[in-house]
Amino acid sequence: MSRYVFTSESVTEGHPDKICDQVSDAVLDALLAQDPASRVACETVVNTGLCLITGEVTTTAKVDYIGLVRGVIEKIGYSGARAGGFDANSCAVLVALDQQSPDIAQGVNEADDHAGDPLDLVGAGDQGIMFGYACNETPELMPLPISLAHRLSRRLAEVRHNGTLPYLLPDGKTQVSVVYENDQPVAIDTILISTQHISEIDGVSEEKAIRERISADLWAHVVEPATADLTLKPSKDGTRFLVNPTGKFVVGGPQGDAGLTGRKIIVDTYGGYARHGGGAFSGKDPTKVDRSAAYAARYVAKAIVAAGLARKAEVQLSYAIGVAKPVSILVESFGTGVVSNDALTALVQDHFDLRPGAIIDTFSLRKLPQQRGGSFYQDVAAYGHFGRSDLNLPWENVDAVAATLKAAQAA
């Protein structure tokens, strides 16, 4: 019997790196909402009293970048006296956006391998490898450790926003360690929550007393509600529960640590449970396969598992800049497939169009910000891009294609 512990982490929307992801994706949303053909590669940096947006864009859209950035920061919760050294109303906002390189644009505008098909005309925006993954550990077909970590992070933000725990501040991290036996989750070993808070809670300022108060509140208002509907639940007796292990967490956010776009790629995907190609998502328009092909790879992997063709599936795609068709496609089922990996790969090649133009068209990736009131990519920038039950994400809707795969395999 194989027994091991696997751990994944998540961060809240107020984490410095996640602020950057949300700002970069808010810029993307604003540009695509006005001009769906916009080319965007937006990077964000935050530090004490500073937010810088930089990168390359090609667009006809007219955007008040400074007002947009301040709005994102305020929505997260960094405003007023409780904001510390990073306040939406007073922080410096610097904008340094240039136009995209014409050499890159040329390959994206007209693929090297096009043959008249309109979907052949969009070449990949860069070379690279992307992975998608799915497994049957949770209803959303995600690994349990990252699913639980995101649940806790979302709930941590919820009780801050709704005033249940008014002493909480925006920065925070969660981490969950799950015990596996024979590759099946059997227990929740450890839950770790680090959350920023004010220095005095209801007149109490002594460090040990504050930590005990936060620990009790988080178990009652975060851990228990976030896991109430699960069959496998944490327990006070059987699960180690760690809160703010350094003792206190008052100075946080960009005042405590600088942030950059794209530094939480494992949080954004599968929590380390599956491989990662290395490319970040946020701030990139859909021609960048780092983003669009990663969504497509998740779509393919989830469809394979939803169709009952494997209990676990990992899909690797690779692309060359300026070329439409993937250089390679590989499916790995880790010995759980009802057919061979070769057969699964052949099914994918027969039933999925994985050219960038086709992916963009299938998921309406250029139109979603406009269709959803100007905000789409910003909504997935925190708490993960996959397995989201709170958002209607097109790459998560696999019922129809899973039925097609099942029928094709039966035939």
Side-chain angles (χ1 to χ4, degrees):
M1 180 171 65
S2 173
R3 182 182 175 92
Y4 59 91
V5 177
F6 192 89
T7 302
S8 293
E9 73 159 354
S10 177
V11 298
T12 65
E13 65 211 43
H15 185 280
D17 296 327
K18 269 290 151 230
I19 297 170
C20 295
D21 288 342
Q22 290 165 92
V23 168
S24 291
D25 275 337
V27 170
L28 175 65
D29 278 335
L31 295 174
L32 289 179
Q34 291 186 39
D35 176 10
S38 295
R39 298 281 169 74
V40 184
C42 178
E43 310 291 343
T44 302
V45 181
V46 295
N47 203 343
T48 304
L50 171 67
C51 181
L52 163 68
I53 56 173
T54 186
E56 297 79 39
V57 300
T58 301
T59 184
T60 61
K62 303 298 181 185
V63 173
D64 173 11
Y65 293 110
I66 293 176
L68 178 71
V69 169
R70 293 194 190 283
V72 173
I73 295 169
E74 183 173 24
K75 184 179 179 183
I76 291 169
Y78 288 105
S79 64
R82 288 157 57 93
F86 190 70
D87 181 3
N89 303 302
S90 63
C91 70
V93 179
L94 305 182
V95 180
L97 294 170
D98 297 323
Q99 187 159 343
Q100 183 187 40
S101 160
D103 295 340
I104 295 175
Q106 177 178 304
V108 179
N109 292 339
E110 184 174 339
D112 182 66
D113 58 337
H114 78 84
D117 185 336
L119 295 180
D120 264 341
L121 294 177
V122 180
D126 201 353
Q127 72 175 53
I129 55 175
M130 297 84 211
F131 287 93
Y133 183 79
C135 63
N136 64 357
E137 292 180 13
T138 61
E140 65 271 25
L141 304 186
M142 286 287 285
L144 183 60
I146 189 65
S147 177
L148 289 175
H150 283 323
R151 278 174 175 250
L152 296 174
S153 286
R154 285 197 300 268
R155 180 63 183 170
L156 193 60
E158 184 181 342
V159 297
R160 173 175 61 86
H161 282 299
N162 67 22
T164 300
L165 300 180
Y167 58 79
L168 295 181
L169 296 175
D171 197 358
K173 301 176 79 171
T174 65
Q175 187 170 287
V176 179
S177 301
V178 176
V179 181
Y180 284 79
E181 288 184 357
N182 297 326
D183 284 337
Q184 296 298 313
V186 296
I188 300 172
D189 181 83
T190 304
I191 290 175
L192 166 61
I193 300 179
S194 294
T195 180
Q196 189 186 11
H197 58 89
I198 61 176
S199 58
E200 184 176 295
I201 302 175
D202 295 336
V204 177
S205 58
E206 196 271 321
E207 188 174 299
K208 184 173 182 292
I210 285 182
R211 190 175 174 189
E212 290 174 351
R213 165 71 183 273
I214 294 174
S215 181
D217 283 350
L218 291 186
W219 185 270
H221 297 290
V222 174
V223 176
E224 289 185 336
T227 58
D229 62 329
L230 298 176
T231 303
L232 188 62
K233 294 183 176 66
S235 67
K236 283 192 171 181
D237 295 331
T239 302
R240 183 168 53 163
F241 185 45
L242 303 175
V243 173
N244 290 353
T246 62
K248 64 178 180 179
F249 187 179
V250 175
V251 178
Q255 183 186 12
D257 192 12
L260 295 169
T261 300
R263 280 209 301 202
K264 283 289 174 280
I265 59 175
I266 299 303
V267 171
D268 287 341
T269 52
Y270 308 102
Y273 202 86
R275 283 173 282 202
H276 195 294
F281 299 156
S282 292
K284 297 178 181 178
D285 76 80
T287 66
K288 277 72 170 175
V289 283
D290 279 340
R291 171 167 234 151
S292 54
Y295 293 166
R298 161 65 178 172
Y299 182 67
V300 174
K302 187 176 182 182
I304 290 170
V305 175
L309 302 181
R311 288 187 287 108
K312 300 179 181 181
E314 184 180 74
V315 176
Q316 187 203 51
L317 307 175
S318 69
Y319 292 84
I321 188 169
V323 178
K325 293 179 182 177
V327 173
S328 66
I329 301 172
L330 174 66
V331 179
E332 171 62 66
S333 65
F334 307 97
T336 70
V338 299
V339 294
S340 68
N341 290 338
D342 289 345
L344 289 173
T345 301
L347 274 175
V348 171
Q349 292 170 329
D350 289 342
H351 293 279
F352 294 91
D353 191 341
L354 296 169
R355 294 171 294 172
I359 295 168
I360 291 168
D361 189 55
T362 298
F363 299 145
S364 297
L365 293 179
R366 283 178 169 148
K367 300 175 183 177
L368 283 167
Q370 194 175 73
Q371 292 171 352
R372 302 200 183 182
S375 178
F376 174 74
Y377 291 107
Q378 182 187 343
D379 297 336
V380 295
Y383 311 117
H385 292 244
F386 306 126
R388 297 291 293 271
S389 58
D390 56 324
L391 300 172
N392 181 23
L393 303 179
W395 52 88
E396 294 293 318
N397 297 329
V398 300
D399 290 349
V401 70
T404 299
L405 286 182
K406 192 171 184 178
Q409 175 56 32

